[in-house]
Amino acid sequence: MLVWVTRGKSARPSVGGMTQVSVSSIAAPRVFLDGEFAPATVDVDGGVVSGIRPFDADAAHVVPDDAVLIPGLVDSHVHLDEPGRTEWEGFLTGTAAAAAGGVTTLFDMPLNSVPVTTTVEALADKRAAAQGKLAVDVGYWGGAVPENLGTLVELADVGVVGVKCFLSPSGIDEFGHLDAAQLEAALAELAVFDGLLIVHAEDPAHLHADGPLGPHYADFLASRPPASEEAAIIAVIDAARRTGARAHIVHVSDGTALDAVRAAKAEGVRLTVETCPHYLTLHAEDVPDGAGAFKCCPPIRDAANQDLLWAGLLDGTIDAVVSDHSPSTRALKEQGGGDFGLAWGGIAGLQTGLSAVWTAARARGIRLEDLLPLMTTGPARIAGVDGLGVIRPGAPAHLVVFRPDAGWTVDAERLEYRNKLSPWHGQRLFGVVAETLVHGVPVWRDGEGVLARAGREILAEPTALTALPAGGGDR
């Protein structure tokens, strides 16, 4: 169970000295309710959906005919980089980009901030840095590194929703990766209190050595072959099977690895997986020479592989589509003069994710109502949050007015990111976020930008271990 934390004046956010208030009702000819669109009016009280009733053209807020009302997206994989690397992103710009992209709840990764979120003290630093800056709700992942194994329950007890590890070098010296024995130890430790381990799954035995590769994307792609993902995913499956722990594979790019995932799920291994907009919409064949904005690990693969990922979405093998928003400065993305081996790896995709994936989905004949659960309730379940990503009485009034048939051309300079970079720059996409509401408060409107900082923190409740009697108990 998770708890929303309201601190300071965040319950009555203001911009420019003007107090922002929640809408009392919002009506639309098409509201996403229980998996389908239907005309309805959504009533809001105290930041929560208080009721659903028939469409009322006289409601306080009426959605235009060309738009739909959908639940706010949940993104369980975002790097906001604050504190310590705020020149890369930050709570102000990152949560603004989330609101602009229809994301009303995100979960921040334990790196690339400084310090990394591997200690109780580091989480306190991150929470302090977030104060007063949140346009959307934010929760936190902790990290599992060789140095903190054996103490993961301490992180769980101060509110992280799970812990992340790498099986290959993370690119950040202060966030070391786990070997096979340490992976098993982390899963066994988490199994005691039913904690979740999320895993960057690439096996270093199959990766080429770091260093210059040149400007051609094909050379970078060859340096991180599918065999690396497949081997690492199988290792996670085997360790999760032995320990009985919950495991989640982040940013799956290799469609052939999904067969192992299908088999593990059918067997009852407690496994979930995600993929990302860049893997579903961009092709290795189209990446320009020296274009560091396209570099990420694991890499964007070819169109045939992408078809396998879409098949995995449609058959339920893949549980969620999340951004893995991992920005950096332009200098880092362009270092080495366009050398893919030297450029920093990470895609900026938080604001464009919904539009990019919807554009690809509609081209494949996939309905919006079939796509939305993968970007709402799917990520919410991974983060362990009940009642997010839905419009129903009792749920937070996280709502998005979305124009699915409206087109727009991505201009990186107009995005909310601190560093104006996007691999979708210049692409024509479908789907415009017209307005985003968080706890019933309008926080973003197309053409106006950020209207309020109405976001709150989300913390997991302490584990059951802390309720055991002192000096005893079966752990």
Side-chain angles (χ1 to χ4, degrees), residues 295-377:
K295 180 182 176 180
C296 58
C297 301
I300 296 163
R301 304 193 188 277
D302 61 26
N305 176 80
Q306 187 177 97
D307 289 340
L308 297 178
L309 294 177
W310 277 101
L313 287 178
L314 296 177
D315 71 15
T317 304
I318 296 175
D319 299 274
V321 177
V322 294
S323 70
D324 187 15
H325 179 67
S326 186
S328 68
T329 63
R330 183 178 295 275
L332 285 172
K333 292 299 282 181
E334 296 177 352
Q335 66 184 353
D339 189 305
F340 275 105
L342 301 178
W344 177 261
I347 298 289
L350 183 56
Q351 185 169 341
T352 52
L354 174 58
S355 297
V357 177
W358 167 233
T359 300
R362 74 198 301 268
R364 292 173 178 265
I366 298 169
R367 304 185 310 162
L368 180 60
E369 46 265 65
D370 295 325
L371 176 65
L372 284 173
L374 290 157
M375 305 184 80
T376 53
T377 50

Side-chain angles (χ1 to χ4, degrees), residues 42-381:
V42 179
D43 291 324
V44 178
D45 185 20
V48 173
V49 175
S50 57
I52 309 290
R53 55 189 172 90
F55 176 77
D56 179 2
D58 295 321
H61 208 74
V62 179
V63 171
D65 288 343
D66 69 339
V68 297
L69 185 66
I70 62 175
L73 305 190
V74 180
D75 193 332
S76 56
H77 193 149
V78 178
H79 297 261
L80 292 181
D81 304 330
E82 188 174 2
R85 287 192 173 94
T86 313
E87 71 275 14
W88 292 20
E89 193 60 281
F91 289 108
L92 275 173
T93 50
T95 63
V103 175
T104 54
T105 306
L106 65 82
F107 292 85
D108 182 48
M109 284 289 154
L111 73 166
N112 302 307
S113 55
V114 180
V116 292
T117 316
T118 56
T119 66
V120 171
E121 295 77 15
L123 180 62
D125 289 343
K126 181 163 283 193
R127 293 187 62 199
Q131 279 198 305
K133 299 175 183 176
L134 305 183
V136 303
D137 285 0
V138 173
Y140 307 99
W141 295 102
V145 294
E147 296 80 11
N148 76 344
L149 296 182
T151 65
L152 299 180
V153 70
E154 297 176 11
L155 277 172
D157 280 337
V158 292
V160 303
V161 297
V163 290
K164 181 181 185 179
C165 75
F166 280 70
L167 301 186
S168 58
S170 70
I172 299 293
D173 290 341
E174 58 268 30
F175 201 99
H177 66 286
L178 304 185
D179 62 22
Q182 291 164 336
L183 168 66
E184 185 123 3
L187 284 166
E189 181 181 350
L190 291 164
V192 174
F193 57 92
D194 202 30
L196 174 66
L197 184 69
I198 67 173
V199 186
H200 179 122
E202 289 183 289
D203 185 337
H206 296 273
L207 302 179
H208 294 205
D210 291 338
L213 289 171
H216 303 306
Y217 185 75
D219 295 327
F220 169 65
L221 184 61
S223 76
R224 304 188 90 92
S228 176
E229 273 192 271
E230 292 166 22
I233 288 172
I234 289 170
V236 173
I237 290 169
D238 289 344
R241 180 189 296 115
R242 287 190 294 269
T243 60
R246 295 188 296 136
H248 173 73
I249 308 296
V250 299
H251 51 49
V252 173
S253 78
D254 172 35
T256 60
L258 295 179
D259 284 340
V261 173
R262 288 185 183 95
K265 287 186 168 189
E267 181 190 339
V269 176
R270 304 174 74 195
L271 181 72
T272 53
V273 300
E274 69 186 41
T275 194
C276 305
H278 38 285
Y279 301 132
L280 295 170
T281 69
L282 303 174
H283 301 145
E285 300 93 321
D286 301 328
V287 177
D289 285 351
F294 290 80
K295 180 182 176 180
C296 58
C297 301
I300 296 163
R301 304 193 188 277
D302 61 26
N305 176 80
Q306 187 177 97
D307 289 340
L308 297 178
L309 294 177
W310 277 101
L313 287 178
L314 296 177
D315 71 15
T317 304
I318 296 175
D319 299 274
V321 177
V322 294
S323 70
D324 187 15
H325 179 67
S326 186
S328 68
T329 63
R330 183 178 295 275
L332 285 172
K333 292 299 282 181
E334 296 177 352
Q335 66 184 353
D339 189 305
F340 275 105
L342 301 178
W344 177 261
I347 298 289
L350 183 56
Q351 185 169 341
T352 52
L354 174 58
S355 297
V357 177
W358 167 233
T359 300
R362 74 198 301 268
R364 292 173 178 265
I366 298 169
R367 304 185 310 162
L368 180 60
E369 46 265 65
D370 295 325
L371 176 65
L372 284 173
L374 290 157
M375 305 184 80
T376 53
T377 50
R381 280 193 294 269

